[in-house]
Amino acid sequence: MIIVLKQLFNIVGERKSIDYAIMPDELSSINGYNFNSPISVKGEIFNRTGIVYLNFSVDFSLEIVCDRCLKELNRDYHFDFEHIVVNSANGNNDEYIVADGESIELNDIAVSDLLLQFPTKFLCNEDCKGLCMVCGCDLNESECDCLK
């Protein structure tokens, strides 16, 4: 979703509400993740004292595989994000979102933000025991004598 910011940059107190969904078929290029629901994006973008703020949240469901026991799971996620949007920035600045031609592509921002929130390993639960390295049985469900 492209948001045109010209009016927001020029009028203090101006606001725009954000409420839309990114459909799973738009996310097919993201390898390794299976989104089984649309990503709901809600929030607002507003000019307060000449500074443009972007605040939004994302809600979605993800089909994952536990990295230890290989169990398939469905997990619901909710993340909140805040950014400052500027017309231009000097040098390479990761603190702000730079509006390209007074507009931003919110889909790219939302997807990048949520991917950065994912853990390096997805687990079914924190104390998952994983699989036996010898026989492959799920150590969460049964015990084996392989390592004794």
Side-chain angles (χ1 to χ4, degrees):
M1 169 180 234
I2 295 176
I3 299 178
V4 179
L5 302 173
K6 184 174 184 172
Q7 192 171 357
L8 276 161
F9 282 128
N10 295 327
I11 302 172
V12 174
E14 185 70 16
R15 295 178 144 351
K16 282 188 180 183
S17 293
I18 300 166
D19 189 359
Y20 76 103
I22 303 171
M23 302 311 289
D25 60 326
E26 296 177 65
L27 305 166
S28 61
S29 64
I30 302 172
N31 294 328
Y33 300 104
N34 186 11
F35 293 87
N36 52 357
S37 75
I39 298 174
S40 172
V41 182
K42 294 182 181 183
E44 67 179 341
I45 186 163
F46 56 93
N47 182 329
R48 184 172 66 208
T49 64
I51 300 172
V52 176
Y53 295 91
L54 169 62
N55 297 339
F56 66 95
S57 62
V58 293
D59 292 285
F60 59 96
S61 180
L62 188 67
E63 185 178 302
I64 61 171
V65 175
C66 177
D67 286 322
R68 288 187 188 154
C69 69
L70 304 180
K71 188 180 296 185
E72 292 185 7
L73 312 162
N74 286 316
R75 287 263 167 86
D76 295 328
Y77 289 93
H78 172 88
F79 298 118
D80 295 313
F81 302 103
E82 296 179 3
H83 296 284
I84 294 175
V85 183
V86 296
N87 275 330
S88 62
N90 296 336
N92 188 7
N93 193 336
D94 292 334
E95 293 181 32
Y96 307 109
I97 293 176
V98 179
D100 183 30
E102 295 186 334
S103 66
I104 57 172
E105 173 53 74
L106 191 53
N107 285 15
D108 293 344
I109 295 167
V111 171
S112 294
D113 282 350
L114 73 88
L115 288 175
L116 289 171
Q117 294 297 312
F118 285 160
T120 54
K121 290 186 181 262
F122 288 100
L123 301 177
C124 58
N125 59 56
E126 286 185 32
D127 59 344
C128 177
K129 296 175 185 172
L131 302 175
C132 172
M133 294 185 292
V134 177
C135 70
C137 78
D138 186 344
L139 298 173
N140 296 308
E141 297 175 4
S142 62
E143 299 221 0
C144 65
D145 294 330
C146 296
L147 299 175
K148 291 182 183 178

